[in-house]
Amino acid sequence: MTSTPSPRHRATSVVLAGGGTAGHVSPLLALADELQRRDPDVRITVLGTATGLETRLVPQRGYPLRTIPKVAFPRRPSAALLRLPQSLKGAVDAAGSILDEVDADVVVGFGGYVSTPAYLAARRRGLPIVVHEQNVRPGLANRLGARLTRFVATTFAATRLAGARHLGMPLRTEISGLDRGARRAEALEHFGLDVGGGPVLLVTGGSSGAKRLNDTFAARVRELSDAGIQVLHVTGVGKAFEPVLVGDGAPYVVREYSDRMDLAFAAADLVVSRAGAGMVCELTAVGLAAVYVPLPIGNGEQRFNVAEVVAAGGGLVVDDAELLPGWVDSVLVPLVRDRERLDRMAAAASHVGTRDGDRRLADLVEEALAATSREGR
């Protein structure tokens, strides 16, 4: 008796929507990597815009990127507000065409300009929606998305979204699996820092840089060097400067951008940075003491992002307006040279951080797919 061959299993098609900044793109890519580790046949499509960091980071990671028109939601009456319905319809239609083309099984959104059209297009098609919110204060796109699904995840326990589960931030394995002590010598050599030298301060304003951080530390190159503090300053693309050193003080290394932030973290004893959710989660996951300088504009989410780690003793907050050369002299230099205090802060940060957000979010995606399969689509 000849058996009838079973139909070939169709690979799951997952569309990940998010972009603009590294804050949206990095967790998106971390989830994509985890889904691919679980099922090498999974088909990943990233939905973004033509102007965000995703245009470089997504192809670099090996995933296909499809773009739709960027639709900003005006916060006050304007001509753009009058054009919003038509602009949004165009973006939803474009997102829907891509979902149809890739035969999507699930849409996972990370917020930002792309997610709202993706959520609405998925809802029209009865596709399961998974929402991940990175910040304590959720953005407009994810507040909408959370109304369309019961599969909602947050990075921080303090985030208020109906029915959300606190799963943490999906992180790249080079960060979540980082052993700072084991990689320290390699990291120092990679950046041209002294292996047997003084403590290392990492200064970074994120992928786009931060003028306040750049200006303040550019004005203290010599003082930090003379104090025996090695500095790795990641300024942001197009914002590098040439540090002027005199004598044989500690090195002050300036980089516009680093695609090896894992090694930057391995080299550092203390970090001064903005307080974006991604940075906060990475620093706590690897157990690094930090001084956070929340962005003074927007809806204030950066100050909320650091509330838990600061309360635990793993970090300090300084207002943007107070981050001046005099503050570096009076507060930062003594802190960097206080090894015992830095060790206590690092331990406190590590107790706050999580390293398995990618696995937890992938579990939620699989749960959404299974639930939709049971209920029928």
Side-chain angles (χ1 to χ4, degrees), residues 204-220:
T204 174
S207 55
S208 58
K211 178 174 170 51
R212 174 73 70 177
L213 273 66
N214 290 344
D215 290 348
T216 293
F217 283 93
R220 278 298 179 266

Side-chain angles (χ1 to χ4, degrees), residues 272-328:
V272 177
S273 78
R274 287 298 192 200
M279 180 62 73
V280 174
C281 291
E282 289 186 352
L283 293 179
T284 55
V286 303
L288 255 173
V291 175
Y292 295 103
V293 189
L295 194 67
I297 60 174
N299 63 7
E301 72 272 4
Q302 288 203 351
R303 182 171 289 276
F304 290 94
N305 289 344
V306 299
E308 185 179 5
V309 64
V310 169
L316 304 176
V317 172
V318 58
D319 289 339
D320 186 83
E322 295 178 4
L323 187 75
L324 300 170
W327 177 89
V328 174

